[in-house]
Amino acid sequence: MTADDHRTYSIRQLCREFGATARALRFYEDKGLLDPARKGQTRVYSAKDRARLKLIMRGRRIGFTLAEIQEMMDLYDRKEHNVHQMAVALPRHRARVEALKQQLDDIKGAIETAEEACDWMERTLAEHRPDLLPGAEDYARLLKERMNPDHARPFQTRA
């Protein structure tokens, strides 16, 4: 065991480190994913709780459900170097990577379609009603100010 294994953390420290809310940590505790010790009303998180929170946050970020995260964490066995946990987690992670890649392709396609639609609308508006293009009001106001003799500044003579 190292000194870090004995270190404790407050809810505020973990929230700051992982960008989580205190409410989220209490929720994970209610679900049995975290098990902080108590000093009165204060939660005291161990290095194990911190490691579990890191796994929870990582799992959530890539799209695993809390039930899936719980199942994988329940397989944790330090004595066997977590091989059972890894054997279950690896195919799930690979499947998630493929799903995320597909989502990325879908998003890229949606962006491309939206950009094409924007380009088409801008060309059509420029041809038929350029006054309706974004920024056209500012341009029209500037032209009006320059063309309107009532708003023209009188010329000043040089000394």
Side-chain angles (χ1 to χ4, degrees):
M1 283 195 143
T2 67
D4 283 343
D5 291 337
H6 297 292
R7 182 170 176 197
T8 60
Y9 304 86
S10 70
I11 196 167
R12 180 175 285 144
Q13 287 171 313
L14 291 180
C15 287
R16 194 176 312 121
E17 181 178 352
F18 293 102
T21 63
R23 184 177 181 188
L25 269 65
R26 290 189 296 269
F27 177 76
Y28 298 146
E29 181 183 350
D30 289 343
K31 295 294 183 186
L33 295 166
L34 298 175
D35 188 26
R38 300 277 185 161
K39 283 188 183 175
Q41 292 293 318
T42 305
R43 290 170 170 82
V44 180
Y45 293 89
S46 65
K48 180 181 175 183
D49 291 316
R50 183 187 170 279
R52 288 176 70 88
L53 179 59
K54 186 175 184 177
L55 291 172
I56 293 166
M57 299 301 287
R58 192 176 289 163
R60 297 296 289 158
R61 190 171 30 258
I62 62 174
F64 288 121
T65 66
L66 288 180
E68 291 170 322
I69 293 167
Q70 176 73 54
E71 184 182 346
M72 287 185 276
M73 287 195 313
D74 286 346
L75 296 170
Y76 179 80
D77 184 356
R78 196 174 198 171
K79 294 175 194 149
E80 291 193 29
H81 306 286
N82 303 321
V83 292
H84 296 300
Q85 184 183 36
M86 286 185 243
V88 169
L90 179 59
R92 289 181 182 182
H93 277 74
R94 288 281 180 217
R96 191 68 194 133
V97 166
E98 290 308 311
L100 289 169
K101 285 179 179 178
Q102 183 58 54
Q103 286 179 340
L104 182 58
D105 289 344
D106 293 345
I107 290 169
K108 286 179 180 178
I111 290 171
E112 188 177 305
T113 300
E115 286 177 338
E116 289 170 0
C118 288
D119 291 344
W120 178 81
M121 287 184 271
E122 285 175 347
R123 283 193 311 274
T124 303
L125 283 171
E127 183 180 335
H128 299 285
R129 289 288 306 270
D131 58 308
L132 297 178
L133 281 168
E137 288 180 12
D138 295 336
Y139 182 69
R141 190 177 315 112
L142 179 66
L143 281 179
K144 186 176 182 179
E145 287 173 4
R146 290 189 178 170
M147 302 299 277
N148 189 341
D150 295 338
H151 289 85
R153 287 186 253 155
F155 291 101
Q156 294 180 354
T157 56
R158 292 187 196 189

